[in-house]
């Protein structure tokens, strides 16, 4: 127990879609998922067991997604990883308000999560298509404090890869890192795009990421009151809001992070130069 754990759950899928449960190998072992499976809770007992009968070896520190429709997940979640899915003929039914997900090996319960939709981020108006992600593989599985909604910046789910809610608990507010101090979107294959990577310290943060020119005019809004994950990357291709190319020169990047609990705002400022031929 503890080698394989439940790491992400989608229990209220998009219309026409399917649930998924992501499993993480929290060990240094290669584990065959044959005779592993999922179940739910009914009439005070473990019920509706759906077992995997095929061999699938999960590497150490790797992920696998159990679902009945891997194509739908890959089409609708841009950060889904191909090759990390184990197609099941059926899954136990998981209610959109509350249920229990059991991870089984033969008839032994290896992990369980009894979730409710109240574990989602309080400001999400509609959690349809939004997964619950686990913060830490080393903390308790069946604890609301160890789960949170997947970030909006990754499309609300990360099947097959590290969770978007990768917290930096010792970091105050947020940080912003640029891929370069200058870039030239001229299509020559060298620094054509500016990548902006943020890291934040709490799951309940909203963020604005806006580009201004040296006169303080808004050039491009990259994020506006978006629900942030622990870390994320946004790109700027050197264009204005109307899609035209911005002029050569310096630009000011403002990253505002809003803490809903304390009503506190943290601001990070960066400067980048858009270069090119005159």
């Amino acid at each position: 127990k503890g080698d394989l754990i439940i790491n992400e759950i989608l229990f209220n899928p998009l219309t026409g879609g399917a649930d998924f449960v992501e499993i993480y190998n929290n060990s240094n072992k290669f584990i065959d998922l044959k005779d592993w499976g999922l179940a739910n809770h009914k009439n005070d007992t473990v019920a509706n067991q759906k077992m995997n009968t095929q061999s699938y070896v999960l590497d150490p520190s790797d992920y696998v997604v159990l679902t009945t429709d891997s194509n739908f997940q890959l089409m609708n979640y841009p950060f889904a990883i191909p090759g990390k899915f184990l197609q099941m003929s059926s899954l136990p039914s998981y209610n959109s308000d509350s249920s229990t997900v059991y991870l089984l090996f033969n008839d032994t319960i290896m992990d369980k999560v009894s979730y409710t939709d109240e574990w989602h981020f309080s400001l999400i108006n509609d959690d349809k298509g939004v997964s619950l992600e686990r913060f830490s593989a080393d903390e308790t599985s069946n604890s609301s404090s160890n789960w949170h909604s997947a970030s909006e910046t990754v499309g609300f789910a990360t099947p097959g890869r590290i969770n978007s809610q990768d917290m930096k608990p010792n970091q105050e507010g947020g940080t912003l890192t640029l891929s370069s101090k200058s870039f030239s979107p001229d299509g020559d294959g060298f620094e054509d795009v500016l990548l902006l990577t943020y890291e934040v310290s709490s799951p309940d943060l909203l963020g604005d990421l806006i580009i201004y020119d040296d006169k303080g005019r808004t050039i491009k809004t990259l994020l506006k009151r978006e629900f942030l994950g622990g870390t994320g990357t946004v790109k700027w291709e050197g264009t204005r809001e109307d899609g035209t190319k911005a002029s050569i020169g310096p630009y000011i990047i403002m990253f505002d992070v809003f803490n809903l609990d304390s009503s506190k705002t943290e601001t990070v400022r960066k400067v980048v130069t858009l270069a090119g031929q005159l």
Side-chain angles (χ1 to χ4, degrees), residues 2 8 81 101 135 143 155 158 176 178 185 193 201-202 207-209 214 225 235 247 267 277:
E8 185 175 359
I81 304 296
V101 181
F135 283 140
S143 170
T158 55
L176 184 68
L178 307 183
V193 175
S201 58
S202 167
D208 288 352
L209 186 54
D214 56 358
R225 291 298 193 277
K235 69 178 180 180
S247 302
T267 300
Q277 294 183 351

Side-chain angles (χ1 to χ4, degrees), residues 178-184 190-191 193-194 271-275:
L178 307 183
S179 58
S180 177
K181 293 182 179 180
S182 66
F183 74 116
S184 52
F190 178 71
E191 294 183 344
V193 175
L194 179 70
V271 176
V272 66
T273 299
L274 195 157

Side-chain angles (χ1 to χ4, degrees), residues 131-181:
S131 75
L132 281 176
E133 292 183 329
R134 184 179 184 134
F135 283 140
S136 172
D138 300 318
E139 299 297 326
T140 304
S141 293
N142 199 28
S143 170
S144 61
S145 62
N146 199 27
W147 292 84
H148 203 273
S149 305
S151 168
E152 182 178 1
T153 58
V154 297
F156 292 114
T158 55
R161 55 158 283 168
I162 188 171
N163 290 342
S164 65
Q165 298 297 356
D166 182 23
M167 293 296 101
K168 311 297 179 188
N170 297 320
Q171 173 188 304
E172 186 67 27
T175 65
L176 184 68
T177 304
L178 307 183
S179 58
S180 177
K181 293 182 179 180

Side-chain angles (χ1 to χ4, degrees), residues 77-226:
Y77 295 108
F79 282 78
I81 304 296
K84 300 293 185 181
F85 288 82
L86 181 55
Q87 188 86 8
M88 304 282 286
S89 58
S90 63
L91 289 184
S93 60
Y94 296 118
N95 298 332
S96 59
D97 54 354
S98 64
S99 189
T100 297
V101 181
Y102 290 100
L103 177 63
L104 307 176
F105 177 62
N106 290 321
D107 292 325
T108 302
I109 298 173
M110 305 302 285
D111 198 17
K112 81 166 188 175
V113 177
S114 296
Y115 66 83
T116 79
D117 56 358
E118 294 181 355
W119 288 13
H120 275 298
F121 185 34
S122 59
L123 290 189
I124 292 180
N125 295 323
D126 185 3
D127 59 23
K128 195 175 187 65
V130 182
S131 75
L132 281 176
E133 292 183 329
R134 184 179 184 134
F135 283 140
S136 172
D138 300 318
E139 299 297 326
T140 304
S141 293
N142 199 28
S143 170
S144 61
S145 62
N146 199 27
W147 292 84
H148 203 273
S149 305
S151 168
E152 182 178 1
T153 58
V154 297
F156 292 114
T158 55
R161 55 158 283 168
I162 188 171
N163 290 342
S164 65
Q165 298 297 356
D166 182 23
M167 293 296 101
K168 311 297 179 188
N170 297 320
Q171 173 188 304
E172 186 67 27
T175 65
L176 184 68
T177 304
L178 307 183
S179 58
S180 177
K181 293 182 179 180
S182 66
F183 74 116
S184 52
D186 51 17
D188 65 354
F190 178 71
E191 294 183 344
D192 287 330
V193 175
L194 179 70
L195 298 180
L196 306 95
T197 301
Y198 68 80
E199 295 183 354
V200 295
S201 58
S202 167
D204 293 329
L205 297 178
L206 300 179
D208 288 352
L209 186 54
I210 302 175
I211 312 294
Y212 298 91
D213 66 12
D214 56 358
K215 293 181 174 61
R217 296 173 295 197
T218 301
I219 298 299
K220 186 77 171 182
T221 300
L222 301 176
L223 300 176
K224 186 65 175 179
R225 291 298 193 277
E226 284 209 28

